[in-house]
Amino acid sequence: MSEQLQQTETVERWGRFEFRAKGPENGNPYADVQFSARFSYKHRVVEVDGFYDGDGQYCIRFMPESLGEWSFETVSNISGLNGLKGSLNCTEPSQGNRGPVRVDNVYHFAYADGTPYFPVGTTCYVWNHQGEELEAQTLKSLSEAPFNKIRMCVFPKHYDYNHNEPETYPFAGSLDKGWDFTRFSPAFWSHLERRIDDLQKLDIEVDLILFHPYDRWGFAQMSAEADDSYLRYLLARLSSFRNVWWSLANEYDLMYEKKMQDWDRFFHIVQAHDPYQHLRSIHNWHNPERHYRSNQHWYDHGKPWVTHVSIQHPDLNFVPEWREQFKKPVVIDECRYEGNLNHGWGNITAEQMVECFWKGMAQGGYVTHGETFVHPEDIIWWSHGGKLHGESPARIRFLLDIMAEGPQLGKTAINFKWDAAAGGIDGEYYLVYFGSSRPAFRLLELPEGIRFDIDLIDTWEMTITPFEDTFEGKCRVPLPGKPYQALRIRKAD
Amino acid sequence: MSEQLQQTETVERWGRFEFRAKGPENGNPYADVQFSARFSYKHRVVEVDGFYDGDGQYCIRFMPESLGEWSFETVSNISGLNGLKGSLNCTEPSQGNRGPVRVDNVYHFAYADGTPYFPVGTTCYVWNHQGEELEAQTLKSLSEAPFNKIRMCVFPKHYDYNHNEPETYPFAGSLDKGWDFTRFSPAFWSHLERRIDDLQKLDIEVDLILFHPYDRWGFAQMSAEADDSYLRYLLARLSSFRNVWWSLANEYDLMYEKKMQDWDRFFHIVQAHDPYQHLRSIHNWHNPERHYRSNQHWYDHGKPWVTHVSIQHPDLNFVPEWREQFKKPVVIDECRYEGNLNHGWGNITAEQMVECFWKGMAQGGYVTHGETFVHPEDIIWWSHGGKLHGESPARIRFLLDIMAEGPQLGKTAINFKWDAAAGGIDGEYYLVYFGSSRPAFRLLELPEGIRFDIDLIDTWEMTITPFEDTFEGKCRVPLPGKPYQALRIRKAD
């Protein structure tokens, strides 16, 4: 059986096409019905999993990556859902749609349209489980903040300050009566999708955390079958959202029930069932007493299915080492949070948070923000979203603007010594950050035969002051002898 | 031949007895004449090397460690210097003479009279080579400073900011005409001795650096014979000074001509020819690019002749690890200096310097200060002495006073978590330092059944504020949510 069901629909490049069909509601449609589609473009075929959306609705979502005519045909073990055909016309992307983010230039990122992307992320683990009012406030805060990536969880969170129940759950059932991990709860998923779209409108990439250990519902201790079925359902629903990244876990090594081969299997499932190959990584726990010298507890980011390194570590001095080790983009997705909590990971000053960003980014890595201030109603940005109270976001925006004006930073042949975090493009551009050190001057060994303009950047006061002179070769640059200064050194025209 | 030469002299315990005799001036008395003495006390005999002091003067110095009558007899290959006899009466030490510092309680130090000694050192590498005026100023500065230990070199120093010539040299000869490493220059040595005595009057231990790499005179590249002869001469002259410690080298691993077996041999010589077994250690270079994760370049402080660990490292979080590793006192003898130099090791803020002290000492280690401010005449405390300009010494005194009021600190069974550097005596006393972290409160897990008084210490403002309540078991302590706070927790009476 084969049938042309609809008129050709128009979808912009990296937009989302959705095809729906009615099918059986009896039995367990989530488990019993197989439903997918083959999208064809010239000689190319893309296989796309569909999903059951409740109420007899079967759905296929597709993100076209090539301009022009696409056709598709469904595949199902249910005859009424099998062989359904259609087509779509993929048009130029609208303004602001630059496509999904990809790895670029080994250590960096760019949108699919080639625009470099410098991630400055933030962390609101379960902002999407806080109800309409607070979620709206979070979106408003994000609209005013510099962040272009957010780390957030699919599952709700159980932890200090996190004791409320979410409004919906991913699975059918309840905490009291137990969950049916073979049936999903479409209301939960459509809410999550709405939030991902809300973030897309704010140009924010969603670093979606698929598993995490902070759990009282049993979602961290599901069977392998339930884990895999959950991943397949999630991938079928969400892969077509251009702003998603897959973070397989937060602090994966605290999920003691999972073995390394489970994480390998999850990566394989994600790799096999995301037709668009969104960015994939996994995030570790860090306890300074155990982990300072050794990262042996990390998942091996060298494995080929890991697209970039997602690290928790408080010391950004290691960024060059990790770049060398993995030859992939390095994102420090947690390096302690600006705030004043009891918890040591959540009570650094804004100065330290900004120092982490500069140290990481000047050396060609990327850094993620978080904020953890004690709050009378326990609404803490790191988990719940809400309002930002700290002093670091304005400085992070200042840094992002500087990064976006310059090249992607690599290791330079110049040794800027001991106290400086530095990167650049040799002979062209250098960014040199002194952090809390406070030299009164610096002897530089710039290349001979090239004149450089130098700006003194006060990263805390957010000022950029060009030196009148140009500099070349061995030279001495006066500095104010106070913390948080940087130099931007650019080849003079 | 045997002759009673003099009346019995009175010398206080740990004071210095000196015996002089005339002998040959011809040939090379430094090399040709062997001269030593055997000091006898009841059943005990102490063998003490003598030295040639120029002008036909042969000298034996001796520091008696036991009260009562001592006799001695010289031994020489020159008949006129052989078999000379004498005696001395060792009396109670005078006020302020507590004897040499020894290792105490595995990880700590005490004077020989049992008084605990908490080293807070400073660094003036070649203050003793700067001429009378500046040296007098340095002594005045030290008399007003909290420091009770100083790191200083025997040899002059050649380095940035260190280009002047010393007034005297340890050896006969000159830089132009070459040195005769078999002949010493008594004027050099008597000046050094005078400075060691000056420091003793200020209750300052002298961590005397016997070799260092920063050299233009050839003293870092002497032959093994010259090295050994230098050490023997130095030990004969200086071992009887109760306030000396032997630091075999500063940044020993930058002395590329020396092999590990040379350092072992030097330790053996020092061990064999210092009758009083003054403290012995050796100090490493640190380059953060190479050495952050690994200390494989250190001399093995586990070797039995190393009395304590003398480290250069900027991260005081490792103190508990080093204590565990070596089971010896851990002294961080360089952790970057307060100042504003071009050099990364010399431009930290006073806040960071004080943070190093608190982190190190709260965890049962010890820390050494240095100061490196740009100066119009290039007089920099770290090398030349002079005046102190920084803000850390007052805070170091405040810390020393707190340390001296409390017990020697060990590892506690309580985990004060992530952001705190802590030590204590379980059930009795805890010192908990939060550094640049700024918790607004802290949940403590103190022992049950014991009431504790707690003081809030602002380590920067130098205030101590007792909480009115006492605390016990699991409890919550309010904190001001700003950096540089500490808690002193003491068992209530």
Side-chain angles (χ1 to χ4, degrees):
Chain A
M1 173 181 137
S2 183
E3 193 181 349
Q4 187 74 23
L5 280 172
Q6 52 164 26
Q7 289 192 300
T8 296
E9 211 175 300
T10 291
V11 182
E12 68 182 71
R13 193 180 183 193
W14 308 305
R16 191 160 64 246
F17 169 77
E18 192 170 290
F19 168 73
R20 285 176 177 268
K22 289 294 277 184
E25 296 182 57
N26 59 320
N28 182 353
Y30 297 101
D32 303 339
V33 178
Q34 294 154 25
F35 183 57
S36 64
R38 296 163 56 86
F39 284 79
S40 301
Y41 175 84
K42 297 178 179 166
H43 60 287
R44 192 183 344 151
V45 174
V46 180
E47 303 206 357
V48 177
D49 291 339
F51 62 93
Y52 182 60
D53 199 24
D55 298 326
Q57 290 281 322
Y58 290 80
C59 184
I60 298 277
R61 288 177 180 156
F62 176 63
M63 178 182 81
E65 299 185 87
S66 299
L67 296 173
E69 292 300 316
W70 290 78
S71 64
F72 68 90
E73 179 172 354
T74 63
V75 179
S76 178
N77 59 343
I78 303 296
S79 63
L81 293 170
N82 189 47
L84 305 178
K85 288 183 178 173
S87 62
L88 62 109
N89 179 24
C90 176
T91 58
E92 289 289 350
S94 58
Q95 178 108 36
N97 171 2
R98 291 164 293 184
V101 170
R102 308 293 190 202
V103 171
D104 185 50
N105 197 11
V106 184
Y107 300 105
H108 302 282
F109 299 99
Y111 293 101
D113 76 352
T115 310
Y117 167 77
F118 299 94
V120 292
T122 190
T123 310
C124 303
Y125 283 124
V126 285
W127 77 278
N128 45 311
H129 293 292
Q130 305 304 321
E132 194 60 34
E133 188 182 355
L134 188 53
E135 293 175 23
Q137 189 178 74
T138 304
L139 289 167
K140 180 166 185 300
S141 299
L142 286 168
S143 74
E144 296 159 359
F147 306 114
N148 58 22
K149 176 169 98 75
I150 192 167
R151 283 180 64 74
M152 57 183 275
C153 300
V154 176
F155 292 136
K157 175 169 179 166
H158 174 72
Y159 193 75
D160 292 355
Y161 307 104
N162 287 268
H163 301 291
N164 60 343
E165 284 297 316
E167 294 189 340
T168 56
Y169 297 92
F171 303 102
S174 70
L175 184 54
D176 291 344
K177 297 180 183 166
W179 306 106
D180 181 352
F181 292 124
T182 68
R183 292 172 187 269
F184 297 90
S185 169
F188 172 94
W189 292 92
S190 64
H191 178 74
L192 175 61
E193 288 154 7
R194 184 176 147 222
R195 292 313 181 202
I196 294 173
D197 274 340
D198 288 337
L199 292 164
Q200 187 187 101
K201 286 176 201 133
L202 298 174
D203 276 335
I204 295 174
E205 299 292 304
V206 175
D207 199 6
L208 192 67
I209 296 165
L210 308 187
F211 293 98
H212 70 77
Y214 301 109
D215 176 66
R216 66 172 172 269
W217 301 273
F219 304 152
Q221 287 93 27
M222 301 190 296
S223 68
E225 291 71 22
D227 285 338
D228 295 359
S229 144
Y230 154 73
L231 285 177
R232 293 286 302 272
Y233 190 74
L234 176 144
L235 291 162
R237 290 198 73 116
L238 302 182
S239 293
S240 59
F241 288 67
R242 70 170 171 267
N243 60 328
V244 295
W245 305 16
W246 312 120
S247 180
L248 266 68
N250 199 50
E251 302 189 337
Y252 87 102
D253 42 329
L254 293 182
M255 297 187 71
Y256 304 114
E257 287 78 8
K258 301 280 185 276
K259 305 294 174 210
M260 202 55 88
Q261 52 266 46
D262 292 315
W263 298 110
D264 288 346
R265 192 180 77 252
F266 297 158
F267 268 110
H268 290 312
I269 290 171
V270 172
Q271 197 175 23
H273 295 279
D274 165 11
Y276 320 104
Q277 300 297 299
H278 289 286
L279 293 165
R280 288 179 297 266
S281 194
I282 184 168
H283 187 74
N284 59 282
W285 182 47
H286 182 88
N287 180 329
E289 286 168 57
R290 301 190 191 187
H291 299 143
Y292 208 84
R293 281 197 200 274
S294 161
N295 304 321
Q296 294 297 324
H297 64 299
W298 291 2
Y299 186 88
D300 178 7
H301 292 109
K303 289 181 176 175
W305 41 82
V306 180
T307 57
H308 64 287
V309 182
S310 171
I311 288 173
Q312 178 180 173
H313 201 290
D315 192 338
L316 282 290
N317 291 314
F318 291 124
V319 164
E321 176 181 319
W322 296 326
R323 280 171 46 114
E324 284 297 305
Q325 182 178 355
F326 297 112
K327 300 277 193 291
K328 295 180 182 181
V330 170
V331 186
I332 315 305
D333 269 319
E334 183 177 340
C335 56
R336 303 179 74 191
Y337 303 133
E338 181 185 359
N340 62 2
L341 285 198
N342 177 46
H343 300 287
W345 45 259
N347 58 26
I348 64 171
T349 59
E351 286 85 346
Q352 284 177 284
M353 184 89 252
V354 175
E355 188 173 359
C356 286
F357 266 80
W358 271 89
K359 267 194 186 170
M361 293 184 81
Q363 296 180 105
Y366 297 97
V367 183
T368 298
H369 161 272
E371 189 185 285
T372 45
F373 283 100
V374 170
H375 184 276
E377 296 161 55
D378 286 349
I379 298 171
I380 305 182
W381 179 261
W382 131 89
S383 218
H384 315 94
K387 291 182 183 172
L388 282 160
H389 304 276
E391 297 175 279
S392 68
R395 276 89 187 173
I396 292 167
R397 182 188 299 282
F398 176 75
L399 167 60
L400 176 59
D401 290 345
I402 288 170
M403 294 299 296
E405 272 184 46
Q408 293 165 332
L409 299 183
K411 187 178 176 181
T412 97
I414 301 178
N415 181 352
F416 286 100
K417 300 282 164 66
W418 244 98
D419 54 341
I425 305 293
D426 278 315
E428 295 284 338
Y429 183 102
Y430 306 91
L431 197 61
V432 184
Y433 174 65
F434 300 107
S436 57
S437 299
R438 50 161 182 186
F441 67 97
R442 179 58 39 121
L443 302 177
L444 296 178
E445 298 188 9
L446 299 177
E448 300 287 344
I450 307 174
R451 301 296 305 175
F452 290 93
D453 292 317
I454 302 186
D455 297 314
L456 174 66
I457 300 174
D458 188 318
T459 68
W460 183 253
E461 299 296 339
M462 297 181 281
T463 59
I464 301 177
T465 311
F467 287 98
E468 282 189 19
D469 297 332
T470 59
F471 296 83
E472 178 183 344
K474 289 190 184 183
C475 55
R476 179 187 167 116
V477 180
L479 294 169
K482 64 177 186 171
Y484 309 126
Q485 307 301 303
L487 295 177
R488 179 169 59 180
I489 302 170
R490 292 183 287 189
K491 189 178 175 183
D493 295 328
Chain B
M1 173 181 137
S2 182
E3 193 182 349
Q4 187 73 24
L5 279 172
Q6 52 164 26
Q7 290 192 299
T8 295
E9 210 174 300
T10 291
V11 181
E12 67 182 72
R13 193 179 184 193
W14 307 306
R16 191 160 65 245
F17 169 77
E18 192 169 289
F19 168 74
R20 285 176 178 268
K22 288 295 276 183
E25 296 183 57
N26 59 319
N28 182 354
Y30 298 101
D32 302 340
V33 178
Q34 294 154 26
F35 184 56
S36 64
R38 296 163 56 86
F39 284 79
S40 300
Y41 175 85
K42 297 178 180 167
H43 60 287
R44 194 184 340 152
V45 174
V46 180
E47 304 206 356
V48 177
D49 291 340
F51 61 94
Y52 182 62
D53 199 24
D55 297 327
Q57 291 281 322
Y58 289 80
C59 185
I60 298 277
R61 288 177 181 156
F62 176 62
M63 178 182 81
E65 298 185 87
S66 299
L67 297 174
E69 292 300 316
W70 290 78
S71 63
F72 68 89
E73 179 172 354
T74 63
V75 179
S76 178
N77 59 343
I78 303 295
S79 64
L81 293 170
N82 189 48
L84 306 178
K85 287 182 178 173
S87 62
L88 62 109
N89 179 25
C90 176
T91 59
E92 288 290 348
S94 58
Q95 178 108 34
N97 171 2
R98 291 165 292 184
V101 171
R102 307 293 189 203
V103 171
D104 184 51
N105 197 10
V106 184
Y107 300 105
H108 302 282
F109 299 99
Y111 292 101
D113 75 352
T115 311
Y117 167 77
F118 299 93
V120 292
T122 189
T123 309
C124 303
Y125 284 124
V126 286
W127 77 277
N128 46 311
H129 293 291
Q130 304 305 320
E132 194 60 34
E133 188 183 355
L134 188 53
E135 292 175 24
Q137 189 177 75
T138 304
L139 288 167
K140 180 166 185 301
S141 299
L142 285 168
S143 74
E144 296 159 359
F147 306 115
N148 58 21
K149 176 169 98 75
I150 192 167
R151 283 180 64 74
M152 57 183 274
C153 300
V154 176
F155 292 135
K157 175 169 179 167
H158 173 73
Y159 192 75
D160 292 356
Y161 307 105
N162 287 268
H163 301 290
N164 60 343
E165 285 297 317
E167 294 189 341
T168 56
Y169 297 92
F171 303 103
S174 70
L175 184 53
D176 290 345
K177 298 180 183 165
W179 306 106
D180 180 352
F181 292 124
T182 69
R183 292 172 186 268
F184 297 90
S185 170
F188 172 94
W189 293 92
S190 64
H191 177 75
L192 175 60
E193 288 154 7
R194 183 176 149 223
R195 291 314 181 201
I196 294 173
D197 274 340
D198 289 336
L199 292 163
Q200 188 188 101
K201 287 177 201 132
L202 298 174
D203 276 335
I204 295 174
E205 299 292 305
V206 175
D207 199 6
L208 192 67
I209 296 165
L210 308 187
F211 293 98
H212 69 77
Y214 301 109
D215 176 65
R216 66 172 172 269
W217 301 273
F219 304 151
Q221 287 94 27
M222 301 190 296
S223 68
E225 290 72 21
D227 285 338
D228 295 359
S229 144
Y230 154 73
L231 285 177
R232 292 287 301 271
Y233 190 74
L234 176 143
L235 290 162
R237 291 198 72 116
L238 302 182
S239 293
S240 59
F241 288 68
R242 69 169 171 269
N243 61 327
V244 294
W245 304 16
W246 312 120
S247 180
L248 266 69
N250 199 49
E251 302 189 337
Y252 87 102
D253 43 328
L254 293 182
M255 297 187 71
Y256 304 114
E257 287 78 9
K258 302 279 185 276
K259 304 295 174 208
M260 203 54 88
Q261 51 266 45
D262 292 315
W263 298 110
D264 288 346
R265 192 180 77 252
F266 297 159
F267 269 110
H268 291 312
I269 290 171
V270 172
Q271 197 175 24
H273 295 279
D274 165 11
Y276 320 104
Q277 301 297 300
H278 288 285
L279 293 165
R280 288 179 296 266
S281 194
I282 184 167
H283 187 74
N284 59 282
W285 182 47
H286 182 89
N287 180 329
E289 285 168 56
R290 301 189 190 186
H291 299 145
Y292 208 84
R293 280 196 200 275
S294 161
N295 304 321
Q296 294 296 323
H297 64 299
W298 291 3
Y299 185 87
D300 178 7
H301 292 108
K303 289 181 177 174
W305 43 82
V306 180
T307 57
H308 65 286
V309 182
S310 171
I311 288 172
Q312 178 181 173
H313 201 290
D315 191 338
L316 281 290
N317 291 314
F318 291 125
V319 165
E321 177 181 319
W322 296 326
R323 279 172 47 114
E324 285 297 306
Q325 183 177 355
F326 297 112
K327 300 276 193 292
K328 294 180 183 181
V330 170
V331 186
I332 315 306
D333 269 319
E334 183 177 340
C335 56
R336 303 178 75 190
Y337 303 133
E338 181 185 359
N340 62 3
L341 286 198
N342 177 46
H343 299 287
W345 45 259
N347 59 26
I348 64 172
T349 59
E351 286 85 346
Q352 283 177 284
M353 184 89 254
V354 176
E355 188 173 359
C356 286
F357 266 80
W358 271 89
K359 267 194 187 171
M361 294 185 79
Q363 296 179 107
Y366 297 97
V367 183
T368 298
H369 161 272
E371 189 185 286
T372 44
F373 283 100
V374 170
H375 184 276
E377 296 160 57
D378 286 350
I379 298 171
I380 305 183
W381 179 261
W382 131 89
S383 220
H384 315 94
K387 292 183 183 172
L388 281 159
H389 304 276
E391 297 175 279
S392 68
R395 277 89 188 173
I396 292 167
R397 183 188 298 281
F398 175 75
L399 167 60
L400 176 59
D401 290 345
I402 288 170
M403 294 299 295
E405 271 184 48
Q408 293 165 333
L409 299 183
K411 187 179 176 182
T412 98
I414 301 177
N415 182 351
F416 287 100
K417 302 280 164 64
W418 244 98
D419 53 342
I425 305 292
D426 278 315
E428 296 285 338
Y429 183 103
Y430 306 91
L431 196 61
V432 185
Y433 174 66
F434 300 108
S436 57
S437 298
R438 51 161 182 186
F441 67 97
R442 179 58 40 120
L443 303 177
L444 296 178
E445 299 189 8
L446 300 177
E448 300 288 344
I450 306 174
R451 302 296 304 176
F452 290 93
D453 293 318
I454 302 186
D455 297 315
L456 174 66
I457 300 174
D458 188 318
T459 68
W460 184 253
E461 299 296 339
M462 297 181 281
T463 59
I464 301 177
T465 311
F467 287 98
E468 282 189 21
D469 297 332
T470 59
F471 296 83
E472 178 183 344
K474 289 191 183 181
C475 55
R476 179 187 166 115
V477 180
L479 294 170
K482 64 177 185 171
Y484 309 126
Q485 307 302 302
L487 296 177
R488 179 169 59 179
I489 303 170
R490 291 184 288 189
K491 189 178 173 182
D493 296 327

